[in-house]
Amino acid sequence: MATRLRGRPAHAPGPTYLAYTPNGKKLITVGTNGAVRIFQHGSDDEPAIIDVTTDNHTAVVATNTFFLVGAEDGSVTKYSLLTNSMEEILVRCSLPVRDLSLSRDGEWVAVASDELEVKVVDTGDMTRIMHLREQSRPVKHVSFDVSGSMLAVSCSDGVVYMYSLSSEQPQLLKRIDGLVKTLETDAEASSKVAWHPDGRAFVAPTSTRDIQCLARKDWQRQKAFSGGHRADISAVKWSPNGALLATAGVDNSLCIWETRSQRLVKTFEDINHTILALNWHPTDNLCSYTNHNGELFIREDFVPSPSSSLLKIALHPAPMNNEPLSKISGNARKQADDRQKPDGVHRSVEDQYLDDLLGPDAMSEDDAGFIEDDDGAGYAEVPNGFGKRAAGAVNGLPVKRHQPYPSWRPQVQEAFQPGSTPWRGNRRYLCLNLTGFVWTVNQETHHTVTVEFYDRQEHRDFHFTDPYKYDKACLNEKGTLFSCPPSAQSQQSATLYYRPHETWTTRMEWKTQLPAGELVISMSLSDSCIVVMTTAGYVRVYTLFGVPLLVHRQKSTPAVTCASFRDYVMTVGTGPVSGDGTTRLLYSIENVRRDEICQNEDVLALPEGVELRSVFFSDKGDPCIYDTSGVLLTLLHWRTPGQAKWVPLLDTKMLERLASGKKDETYWPVAVADNKFHCIILKGGEEYPYFPRPLLSDFDFNIPVSSMPANKDDDEDKELAHQKGLEEQFVRASLQHSLQRDLVENTNASSAQKAEVSMMERGVDKVLLQMLAAECREGEERGMKALEIAALMRDRTGKMLEAAGKIASRFQRDILGDKIHQLAERRLVGLVDEEEM
Amino acid sequence: MAMFLPSGLTPDEVGFLCEAEEVTVIPRQRLEGLELLGGPTHALNPPFPTPLPLWLALLLKKQRRANISPPPWLSAEALTHILDFETDERTAEVLSPAPALPRATSTAPLEGDPYLSLDSLEFSAPFAKNAATSRAQQDALPYHWLELGHLLLTHASDDFDDPDTIRKLLRDLREVRMSKLRKGFKVLGPGAGIKMNGVGGMEIAEVRGFVEGMVNGLRKINRSREESRKEREAEDRENGLGSGSYQDDEDENML
């Protein structure tokens, strides 16, 4: 508890401002009189005083070595903290300076004055100035984000301007209207934006006296801290780790909020003057503020004891809606921020010592214990039955040690549900495929799920209110499968819910609950079975009507994802660590009806640094994968154990539409059907499709055989491109032929499918004939290659070789014609077989 | 019949011809392939985009059984690009080029012109394939661009991202191209044609009446001179110096 609280008369009565140095050793205050005071942290001695030539100071910012003071005469002056003396006048405005903001590295300072433009000045070289001129009225506040690449400018017209400073020319990213109140530049109330330390969100005081959080990614409103103030807000500051928020109002109020629940932790009653500036101490449980009366208050034990432990968390995530839950929705991509992981705990030296003694896992269970999972939203990670965390949580694991001693851990591919997207705003797609799409909207207390179909005649769209908050779904022609995580409120464990689209009896929906503590990692629905992979390492197979067929423990865990087609089930799990520090992915394919394993823990071929993006079966029933490098691969000979190999079908980076280099787009895989790759085109660095639902696009397969000549207009190049095209066509036709032959040999194929095999074989030979013709046209000297091409012919009846001979004679390549004729004869009597070739 | 019809095609007739163009639809329900007089149509299988004749696509669109996906050149971006080309000073003389012809499908067995071989059937405008499907060329206006754009914007405007901008761009394009065509009329004479590549069907229909009337009028004025020339030619032919068949009637069809 605060032992004593006395105002330190720092300056003459009037507006007073303060700043801590980032190391927390010094505190600088400025006020209306012509002096600057520098307090030593933890010392009650009289502060150092620098007499300055300016008075009526309006802002101060500090680094460890210098500080900058803005004054009403329009000057921004730089003072050294090493010598406690003035260094230079950094910039001079024609009108009073209103606010300063320093980038975290201390290199740039943004100056808001009553002029229309905001100046961003290099603190080391005052000749380097950027001007931000988009606002129409004077600016009240400026605020750099954590990375220093973005500046939030709160203008007196009630608009927040977001500038990107990462390029040479500052760019206006967004005008956020209706967020902050319209305030005069000299008003006591504040409209300053406060960036959350994790960099993904910021808060700003609104006209309704709430503190509204907005996401940096899409500028959507997130959660709000509301109901704490009865008057306008004059100062807002995040605690250094973002777990707490301190706010002050013009009605002499001061509040502390908890970030996670947005609840008030404490309201202070003993404030006599409006607080104008407020600063947390960078490390201690201490907060200082200055008021309108020239006084400085240093409040020790600022946060009351039960919540004060929150100050010790490494970095608390910003209060966003629909935060991807690290374990359950495996779709959340890793945050780019690798400085510190959210939810981790700064551990004391003793803890580290213990860790060293006990080994890496001994203390891991109580890491997250300070978070109470009281609303069942999955903040806390419940260790499963083995005291281990589940697969998906790997990126959310707390940092074991301080940064100087990072323990090595392999990079594990996160689990995901094919065809789903993470939350964005309050919406996400649970499933998107060629049948239709399932999306859900977060309505705080419940979700609403909508299922829409492409074929509106066959199926009827439906919509329902979902109290269970389903987070995964599968959709096909026969029905829809949902699953929800366990809920602490209703004491319900994870549930599967299947809803058939049509029945000949009354609708037969069913639900089944998984054993307590088990969570669904990934699931899939085929025409004849349901496959669920759980955190307990089980693969559970059900029939369409809920009869459990099979439960087995997956060999490679943690599980990543699964897919199924009819009775074939493909499961993907994490395997051993490979040379580049990532774990290999292993897949198994089995037929659950016949209980046969087709491929057993085979390696999913991914090059270094490339992750799996999606797994699905093509419409013909061949497994396909799409990876983060934009390559679509299919599995050849997968029905024979040990014979499987991954074959590329399409490299989207080599698509012709990207050849100009102007387009920046990626492709979000949807399906492979009709010998085409169906996908959604994502532009502008998007990673996932969003609403309104984008159109499906399709691309023909194009096996990356060779690069296309650059100059398309040249005749010679055109001919070359034609030949390369034929070569690609040959490889593709042979691949499709062998896929179809596999299918016919291993299943009860229909006669149409069998006929297709011989048709495809003829197709391959036709491409070879065209290649032969192209070679013959080139000239006599290409005869060897032409003969080689003729020898590749698959046809055993001799007709194709006869045709090849005709082509040779038409081009008057007589020697070649003779050789082809000999080859045909030897083949006919069986002298040449494939081994010899 | 006392009905007066201008020679050539009326805009309605041009629009009717345009309805035979194929466009890409995104079906909303299944439909087996139809055996029609003009040839079989593709089976519809949602959500796979399928090429269908425009008239059928519009019919399905009106019944809300399909969405039409506009061809790539009918986008704000592509049209702005083409309009830039048309208004550029350096290309003030010519219209923007028509779509490139497809690669010849029939390979000539030996050196020679593939178009001359008997079994080949090579298409060019207005019969070129994929003029208005999603595989159409993005940076060129096909033969039926104006009619097709108009029909799609009238009946399927909800399938466009920004129909008003596209409508405006089409109108701008029409005006700038018509003014280019009119500039060409200055050099028209009784025997002279103008060369304009990449003219659309509707544009031909629009200027045909004027050009034909004018050329005919000029020819009437010059009839005496022409008759004397013909006489001279007849004399020459009698003298055995035939200058071949001169068909000045063909000239007016060049437009």
Side-chain angles (χ1 to χ4, degrees):
Chain A
M1 284 277 92
T3 47
R4 74 208 140 79
L5 179 74
R6 65 178 174 90
R8 303 184 193 207
H11 297 278
T16 311
Y17 301 90
L18 84 164
Y20 266 110
T21 57
N23 59 12
K25 286 190 179 146
K26 286 174 181 167
L27 170 67
I28 299 124
T29 63
V30 295
T32 47
N33 59 344
V36 174
R37 293 184 161 223
I38 301 168
F39 294 80
Q40 292 289 334
H41 175 60
S43 148
D44 270 345
D45 295 344
E46 268 299 300
I49 299 175
I50 309 177
D51 286 317
V52 296
T53 53
T54 53
D55 51 12
N56 288 333
H57 301 114
T58 52
V60 57
V61 287
T63 67
N64 287 337
T65 53
F66 65 87
F67 65 94
L68 305 166
V69 175
E72 272 193 5
D73 67 355
S75 66
V76 177
T77 319
K78 183 176 177 184
Y79 296 91
S80 166
L81 274 175
L82 308 172
T83 59
N84 281 359
S85 61
M86 175 179 150
E87 278 190 359
E88 61 189 356
I89 292 180
L90 198 64
V91 65
R92 197 183 275 283
C93 306
S94 54
L95 289 166
V97 172
R98 292 298 172 195
D99 196 14
L100 297 176
S101 177
L102 199 62
S103 62
R104 181 173 268 206
D105 55 7
E107 197 183 330
W108 292 94
V109 64
V111 181
S113 65
D114 280 357
E115 290 175 15
L116 287 187
E117 61 174 30
V118 170
K119 292 180 174 134
V120 181
V121 189
D122 189 328
T123 55
D125 175 8
M126 63 166 115
T127 56
R128 291 178 63 198
I129 302 187
M130 292 192 263
H131 298 272
L132 315 179
R133 297 198 170 98
E134 298 283 344
Q135 48 282 339
S136 56
R137 299 205 49 201
V139 169
K140 183 155 167 57
H141 295 286
V142 283
S143 177
F144 264 107
D145 81 330
V146 182
S147 63
S149 64
M150 206 183 272
L151 185 73
V153 173
S154 310
C155 186
S156 55
D157 59 3
V159 179
V160 177
Y161 295 79
M162 286 290 169
Y163 286 94
S164 164
L165 303 180
S166 44
S167 55
E168 197 70 13
Q169 263 314 315
Q171 269 182 323
L172 180 67
L173 291 181
K174 179 79 182 167
R175 261 188 193 92
I176 303 170
D177 211 344
L179 176 67
V180 296
K181 203 176 169 180
T182 310
L183 291 168
E184 283 310 310
T185 50
D186 53 355
E188 277 184 4
S190 157
S191 57
K192 184 162 175 140
V193 161
W195 289 90
H196 189 275
D198 79 353
R200 295 182 303 151
F202 58 88
V203 293
T206 65
S207 52
T208 53
R209 291 150 192 178
D210 297 338
I211 298 108
Q212 176 69 46
C213 179
L214 271 81
R216 173 196 177 134
K217 196 171 168 192
D218 50 3
W219 318 113
Q220 293 299 311
R221 288 183 179 229
Q222 306 292 331
K223 295 188 169 144
F225 300 84
S226 53
H229 290 280
R230 282 186 295 278
D232 284 342
I233 290 157
S234 57
V236 174
K237 206 83 184 177
W238 289 102
S239 71
N241 60 3
L244 294 159
L245 180 73
T247 61
V250 293
D251 60 344
N252 303 345
S253 59
L254 174 61
C255 305
I256 309 177
W257 306 77
E258 192 185 328
T259 303
R260 183 171 70 84
S261 57
Q262 298 99 46
R263 277 197 296 253
L264 272 175
V265 174
K266 188 169 180 187
T267 309
F268 293 89
E269 305 292 345
D270 50 353
I271 314 289
N272 296 323
H273 294 278
T274 302
I275 295 172
L276 289 183
L278 177 78
N279 246 323
W280 294 78
H281 189 270
T283 49
D284 296 353
N285 180 7
L286 188 145
C287 183
S288 304
Y289 50 85
T290 49
N291 61 16
H292 205 268
N293 199 30
E295 291 169 311
L296 163 73
F297 289 86
I298 299 175
R299 231 179 229 279
E300 291 171 21
D301 293 326
F302 182 55
V303 184
S305 59
S307 303
S308 61
S309 63
L310 284 176
L311 277 176
K312 299 192 181 106
I313 307 170
L315 182 66
H316 193 280
M320 313 269 260
N321 286 333
N322 313 319
E323 188 72 337
L325 310 175
S326 55
K327 181 187 285 185
I328 300 157
S329 77
N331 265 307
R333 292 264 150 199
K334 275 179 198 143
Q335 288 298 323
D337 186 352
D338 52 5
R339 284 175 292 117
Q340 280 167 322
K341 301 259 163 94
D343 266 353
V345 173
H346 269 315
R347 292 163 64 97
S348 64
V349 182
E350 287 86 346
D351 284 346
Q352 286 175 39
Y353 185 53
L354 268 179
D355 249 11
D356 286 336
L357 281 181
L358 296 175
D361 257 328
M363 294 292 284
S364 60
E365 267 126 49
D366 55 355
D367 270 348
F370 65 91
I371 301 177
E372 294 164 357
D373 195 8
D374 46 6
D375 53 0
Y379 297 104
E381 299 191 327
V382 187
N384 59 26
F386 317 103
K388 300 256 184 256
R389 249 178 229 87
V394 173
N395 77 319
L397 273 183
V399 202
K400 277 269 159 53
R401 278 149 237 247
H402 286 300
Q403 287 304 314
Y405 320 102
S407 64
W408 181 84
R409 53 176 63 247
Q411 295 166 11
V412 180
Q413 163 113 37
E414 284 173 68
F416 64 90
Q417 171 74 21
S420 70
T421 68
W423 287 107
R424 186 168 144 200
N426 56 353
R427 287 159 179 242
R428 65 179 283 209
Y429 290 104
L430 293 178
C431 179
L432 226 168
N433 59 22
L434 288 182
T435 312
F437 42 99
V438 184
W439 49 280
T440 183
V441 180
N442 187 347
Q443 316 268 20
E444 301 293 332
T445 53
H446 61 274
H447 293 179
T448 48
V449 176
T450 309
V451 180
E452 286 183 54
F453 295 93
Y454 287 109
D455 193 340
R456 286 190 296 212
Q457 184 188 33
E458 200 86 0
H459 308 288
R460 186 169 296 180
D461 299 352
F462 62 92
H463 176 88
F464 62 89
T465 309
D466 156 31
Y468 304 105
K469 304 193 176 180
Y470 293 120
D471 67 339
K472 288 184 180 60
C474 298
L475 175 71
N476 70 2
E477 298 287 328
K478 291 206 168 164
T480 325
L481 174 69
F482 295 96
S483 82
C484 65
S487 149
Q489 275 166 330
S490 54
Q491 300 296 317
Q492 204 183 20
S493 51
T495 308
L496 291 180
Y497 166 51
Y498 179 73
R499 184 186 186 278
H501 292 152
E502 54 190 69
T503 56
W504 37 270
T505 58
T506 51
R507 193 176 290 283
M508 247 293 290
E509 302 174 341
W510 57 268
K511 276 185 184 174
T512 186
Q513 295 202 347
L514 296 182
E518 226 172 294
L519 284 171
V520 177
I521 293 176
S522 178
M523 59 183 193
S524 82
L525 170 68
S526 74
D527 287 353
S528 55
C529 69
I530 289 170
V531 185
V532 180
M533 297 167 97
T534 69
T535 49
Y538 289 126
V539 178
R540 296 172 179 274
V541 183
Y542 300 87
T543 64
L544 282 190
F545 291 94
V547 181
L549 271 183
L550 182 73
V551 180
H552 68 86
R553 171 69 60 78
Q554 202 186 351
K555 289 175 195 161
S556 53
T557 49
V560 174
T561 190
C562 62
S564 57
F565 180 80
R566 300 213 179 113
D567 294 331
Y568 291 102
V569 174
M570 176 171 172
T571 55
V572 181
T574 311
V577 179
S578 66
D580 59 349
T582 55
T583 50
R584 285 257 160 218
L585 293 182
L586 301 182
Y587 72 92
S588 299
I589 301 177
E590 64 175 316
N591 185 319
V592 289
R593 192 78 50 161
R594 279 187 283 183
D595 207 7
E596 274 175 9
I597 290 184
C598 300
Q599 298 297 330
N600 186 13
E601 299 304 307
D602 192 8
V603 175
L604 200 77
L606 291 174
E608 192 177 321
V610 173
E611 285 197 345
L612 184 63
R613 179 52 79 84
S614 188
V615 171
F616 45 87
F617 278 86
S618 72
D619 61 336
K620 292 204 179 105
D622 294 310
C624 298
I625 57 172
Y626 187 78
D627 63 27
T628 46
S629 67
V631 180
L632 174 76
L633 301 114
T634 191
L635 195 56
L636 190 60
H637 305 312
W638 57 274
R639 291 181 182 87
T640 326
Q643 290 294 316
K645 57 183 165 222
W646 292 100
V647 189
L649 282 176
L650 175 70
D651 187 344
T652 53
K653 286 197 303 302
M654 289 164 66
L655 281 176
E656 240 171 73
R657 47 188 287 132
L658 291 178
S660 65
K662 275 181 236 154
K663 281 188 181 163
D664 170 32
E665 54 184 34
T666 53
Y667 307 95
W668 194 81
V670 175
V672 166
D674 258 358
N675 284 331
K676 282 194 178 109
F677 173 52
H678 294 265
C679 61
I680 289 173
I681 299 177
L682 300 173
K683 291 187 175 149
E686 294 269 328
E687 251 188 296
Y688 296 99
Y690 191 60
F691 296 86
R693 186 178 49 81
L695 283 178
L696 292 176
S697 310
D698 53 274
F699 297 113
D700 288 323
F701 296 152
N702 190 356
I703 297 178
V705 173
S706 57
S707 65
M708 283 288 162
N711 189 359
K712 278 283 166 70
D713 302 326
D714 196 353
D715 255 2
E716 208 164 290
D717 275 356
K718 231 180 221 174
E719 192 53 42
L720 191 64
H722 178 60
Q723 281 182 24
K724 295 285 178 203
L726 283 177
E727 284 170 11
E728 190 274 333
Q729 225 176 322
F730 164 66
V731 178
R732 179 151 44 94
S734 340
L735 169 67
Q736 277 163 353
H737 173 238
S738 52
L739 280 174
Q740 186 73 14
R741 203 177 52 196
D742 275 1
L743 177 76
V744 168
E745 279 170 7
N746 289 288
T747 55
N748 300 325
S750 65
S751 55
Q753 281 170 324
K754 281 176 188 156
E756 209 172 332
V757 177
S758 46
M759 225 171 67
M760 283 176 164
E761 193 178 271
R762 273 202 300 284
V764 177
D765 286 354
K766 272 182 193 158
V767 179
L768 284 172
L769 280 185
Q770 285 186 37
M771 286 167 72
L772 185 76
E775 290 302 325
C776 289
R777 197 176 304 134
E778 286 294 311
E780 186 77 46
E781 71 280 4
R782 304 283 276 266
M784 296 277 278
K785 189 175 176 190
L787 181 63
E788 187 188 56
I789 290 171
L792 287 172
M793 300 266 180
R794 300 180 179 220
D795 182 60
R796 287 287 164 267
T797 57
K799 270 188 197 156
M800 282 296 172
L801 279 176
E802 204 176 302
K806 271 185 193 161
I807 289 177
S809 61
R810 196 181 295 169
F811 284 96
Q812 291 150 1
R813 311 276 182 245
D814 296 330
I815 309 168
L816 176 66
D818 285 348
K819 297 234 181 220
I820 291 178
H821 192 65
Q822 283 171 14
L823 177 71
E825 277 181 350
R826 286 169 65 197
R827 270 210 183 164
L828 214 54
V829 294
L831 277 177
V832 186
D833 60 7
E834 271 156 39
E835 292 298 318
E836 253 180 81
M837 298 305 299
Chain B
M1 290 283 279
M3 202 160 71
F4 171 74
L5 269 181
S7 61
L9 297 171
T10 64
D12 282 343
E13 286 163 343
V14 179
F16 177 78
L17 289 181
C18 163
E19 285 187 17
E21 284 288 315
E22 283 196 332
V23 291
T24 301
V25 301
I26 296 155
R28 290 287 170 191
Q29 65 178 55
R30 254 167 234 282
L31 181 69
E32 294 297 315
L34 304 172
E35 294 291 336
L36 300 178
L37 279 179
T41 66
H42 292 275
L44 299 186
N45 189 11
F48 300 120
T50 319
L52 278 190
L54 180 61
W55 62 269
L56 184 55
L58 290 178
L59 193 70
L60 292 175
K61 171 73 197 173
K62 277 177 203 158
Q63 296 171 347
R64 301 166 62 85
R65 291 173 203 272
N67 290 74
I68 299 176
S69 115
W73 53 266
L74 199 55
S75 66
E77 188 193 355
L79 288 179
T80 319
H81 203 255
I82 296 172
L83 187 63
D84 284 349
F85 183 91
E86 295 280 6
T87 49
D88 197 320
E89 277 179 19
R90 283 166 292 174
T91 54
E93 297 296 310
V94 290
L95 296 177
S96 66
L101 290 177
R103 194 188 158 83
T105 48
S106 52
T107 46
L110 285 171
E111 285 74 22
D113 196 344
Y115 290 92
L116 293 181
S117 74
L118 285 175
D119 55 345
S120 76
L121 183 59
E122 303 292 343
F123 292 106
S124 64
F127 306 108
K129 295 278 173 204
N130 285 330
T133 60
S134 54
R135 295 182 186 279
Q137 202 175 323
Q138 194 184 357
D139 50 358
L141 294 177
Y143 186 71
H144 284 302
W145 65 276
L146 187 58
E147 311 84 289
L148 196 108
H150 177 74
L151 282 170
L152 287 186
L153 283 168
T154 316
H155 298 291
S157 60
D158 53 330
D159 288 336
F160 286 87
D161 280 341
D162 192 357
D164 292 335
T165 314
I166 293 172
R167 215 170 267 138
K168 197 176 117 266
L169 284 167
L170 277 185
R171 206 166 174 81
D172 288 354
L173 267 176
R174 192 188 102 100
E175 277 170 16
V176 68
R177 286 169 65 106
M178 277 316 285
S179 76
K180 281 188 183 181
L181 274 180
R182 280 194 213 102
K183 255 183 221 159
F185 299 160
K186 286 185 188 162
V187 299
L188 270 183
I194 49 172
K195 187 183 170 188
M196 275 281 176
N197 286 340
V199 190
M202 193 62 92
E203 289 159 332
I204 292 180
E206 209 169 335
V207 299
R208 185 193 290 274
F210 173 74
V211 172
E212 197 176 323
M214 193 183 72
V215 172
N216 279 341
L218 281 171
R219 197 185 291 146
K220 259 179 215 155
I221 294 168
N222 289 332
R223 177 176 285 163
S224 53
R225 196 191 298 168
E226 200 160 316
E227 272 173 359
S228 65
R229 195 186 69 197
K230 274 187 181 164
E231 275 170 20
R232 205 170 51 240
E233 277 174 12
E235 277 173 24
D236 286 351
R237 209 172 294 138
E238 278 166 19
N239 297 342
L241 295 163
S243 66
S245 56
Y246 180 73
Q247 297 167 322
D248 55 352
D249 283 8
E250 292 295 308
D251 271 354
E252 59 200 63
N253 293 338
M254 279 181 74
L255 260 181

